[in-house]
Structures are given as C-alpha cells and as structure tokens.
Amino acid sequence: MAGGGMERWCWAAVAGAALGLAVALEALPWALRRLRAGRRRRPRHEVLFFPSQVTCTEALLKEADAGCAAGPRVCGCSLPHGESALSRLLSVLLAARASLELCLFAFSSPQLGRAVQLLHRRGVRVRVVTDCDYMALKGSQIGLLRKAGIQVRHDQDLGYMHHKFAIVDRKVLITGSLNWTTQAIQNNRENVLILEDEDFVRIFLEEFEHIWEEFNPTKYTFFPQKKSSH
Ligand SMILES: *[C@@H]1O[C@H](CO)[C@@H](O)[C@H](O)[C@H]1NC(C)=O
Ligand SMILES: [Zn+2]
C-alpha cells in the first residue's frame, strides 16, 4: 500500500538523519582538536638557497624602522618587489625583539647591516663576533656597527673565525655557508638553514658564549708577551 510505503520511507529518513547526527557528534571533538592544532604555529624549519634574486628591500627595512606592521609597501624604484632569499633572511632577523647574536666571518652587506643597526636602535641586545682579518676590508659593516654602539669582538689568531651563524631571540638559529656580503648574496650558490629548534639553539648559544668570552678584549695582547725567564 502507498501509505505503508510512505511510512517506511519516513522512518528510514529519520533513522538516517539520526545516524548522521551521531556520527557528526562523535567526530566533533576530533574536528575541534584538528582546528586547535592547526592554529598552533609549527616551529620554523626553512632553508634559503642563494644566489638571491635582486629585489628591493627598502620597503621591508622602512616598515621595520617605522615599527608598524602595515606600512605602505609601495616603492618607486625599478627593482622587483617580491620575496627573495635575502628578503626572507632580513624578515627573520627583523623579527627579533630581545636579542641577536651574530657570529660572522665577513659582514659587508649594507641591507643586513642596516637591519642589525635598526634592531640595536629598537633596543634589541646585539652582540657580534667576527674575524680580525676581514673586519677592516672595504665595505665591511663592522666599523659602522661599532660606531652605532654595538658590541663587537674579534679573534686574534691566525685561524679564521669562519662561522656564519646568527641566533634570534634565543629561539631561532640561522646558519649556513653564506658570507653576509653582497658578492656572496648575489653570486654564490649557498645555503642558509633557519631552525626554530631548542636543542640546536642551545648548542650554538653555548658556542657563542664560549667564543664571546675567549674574545674578551681584556684578554687581547697587543705586544708579544715576554717569555718567562725560567
Ligand atoms: C667570503 O668573504 C671573504 C671576505 O670578503 C672573501 O675573502 C671570501 O672569498 C668570501 N667567500 C666566498 C665563497 O665568497
Ligand atoms: Zn623599491
């Protein structure tokens, strides 16, 4: 009969809806967990490859200087204004709020130098370790950093202080083969790892503190020390 068929159909529909609702309720906590996990930011693990495309970094630096997140990104220059390996590196540095340790063999990139000075002005505690043979080369940023009041220490050895790493806010390690020079940034094949990793940051910080103490100026010797007479 038509009436009975209709009734069966209705019951089937009700049962189906109830089942659907039950499944949905069952899945709700899982869905909420997924949503929450998605919102928690994953630690940064990134690699930058150089040479970097030459892009304009003016907007990035101006914006960081003004201290406003939504500064105008317009710039009249003829360079491309997209992302590049250098602009990514700058962004990671410019995110510093408390501290920046730099352990660099050669540092002459004006953009990176500007970023570091900007952080210093903003109150970030900046410490630089570098190599004595390269810090006075043409275009070196080291003198400018010192003039700006940033603490710089260097080796006194024949061996090179050949590290190229940085630590941002005791949280992010930046390390790789890259000299912080325009020559290397624009021409060399290099890699830079950006790691938000507690263990690696701790190990590199310990090494930094060790070098920092070893290069303490009170330990510099400006004249050959006299051999002890016995
Ligand atoms: C790194 O920088 C130093 C100092 O400017 C330079 O002598 C050396 O050749 C650079 N290394 C590379 C691979 O560019
Ligand atoms: Zn521009």
Side-chain angles (χ1 to χ4, degrees):
M1 281 199 303
M6 188 58 141
E7 212 167 275
R8 264 202 304 279
W9 183 86
C10 271
W11 276 113
V14 168
L19 186 68
L21 189 66
V23 168
L25 282 176
E26 192 70 22
L28 192 63
W30 174 84
L32 283 176
R33 264 201 309 279
R34 282 296 298 257
L35 213 68
R36 236 175 287 144
R39 225 176 297 137
R40 211 179 309 132
R41 203 175 50 79
R42 278 200 285 142
R44 193 198 295 269
H45 285 176
E46 189 178 344
V47 60
L48 306 176
F49 291 116
F50 290 80
S52 176
Q53 195 203 344
V54 179
T55 57
C56 172
T57 51
E58 206 46 42
L60 197 62
L61 287 160
K62 279 231 181 76
E63 196 176 295
D65 213 5
C68 61
R73 281 219 172 234
V74 275
C75 174
C77 81
S78 59
L79 290 172
H81 289 82
E83 272 211 332
S84 64
L86 176 60
S87 78
R88 292 288 309 131
L89 178 58
L90 279 167
S91 299
V92 174
L93 287 171
L94 290 169
R97 291 294 173 268
S99 62
L100 176 68
E101 282 80 27
L102 296 176
C103 202
L104 296 171
F105 173 55
F107 189 176
S108 64
S109 155
Q111 289 99 328
L112 289 167
R114 234 175 100 188
V116 171
Q117 288 206 40
L118 197 155
L119 291 172
H120 169 70
R121 278 202 305 278
R122 211 202 256 164
V124 171
R125 183 194 186 205
V126 180
R127 289 183 294 167
V128 183
V129 160
T130 192
D131 186 87
C132 67
D133 296 313
Y134 285 88
M135 64 184 186
L137 286 190
K138 193 161 168 284
S140 170
Q141 291 292 308
I142 296 299
L144 296 174
L145 298 184
R146 280 193 158 140
K147 215 187 265 176
I150 294 172
Q151 295 186 81
V152 179
R153 293 183 180 183
H154 58 80
D155 66 319
Q156 272 209 312
D157 319 324
L158 284 175
Y160 290 131
M161 204 313 294
H162 205 244
H163 284 305
K164 294 131 174 123
F165 72 84
I167 302 161
V168 176
D169 285 346
R170 300 178 155 265
K171 219 172 70 193
V172 180
L173 170 67
I174 303 169
T175 185
S177 59
L178 182 75
N179 265 343
W180 285 25
T181 66
T182 300
Q183 190 278 329
I185 290 168
Q186 292 185 0
N187 301 295
N188 293 358
R189 290 189 191 277
E190 311 273 3
N191 70 79
V192 172
L193 276 173
I194 297 167
L195 293 178
E196 203 173 321
D197 181 291
E198 258 177 59
D199 293 328
F200 278 119
V201 164
R202 181 173 39 76
I203 293 165
F204 274 79
L205 252 181
E206 275 170 19
E207 181 62 7
F208 183 90
E209 296 297 353
H210 179 81
I211 298 172
W212 186 250
E213 234 358 272
E214 203 177 305
F215 293 180
N216 188 326
T218 63
K219 295 178 184 165
Y220 289 171
T221 52
F222 293 96
F223 305 99
Q225 276 166 332
K226 285 212 182 84
K227 293 247 169 63
S228 101
S229 49
H230 48 245

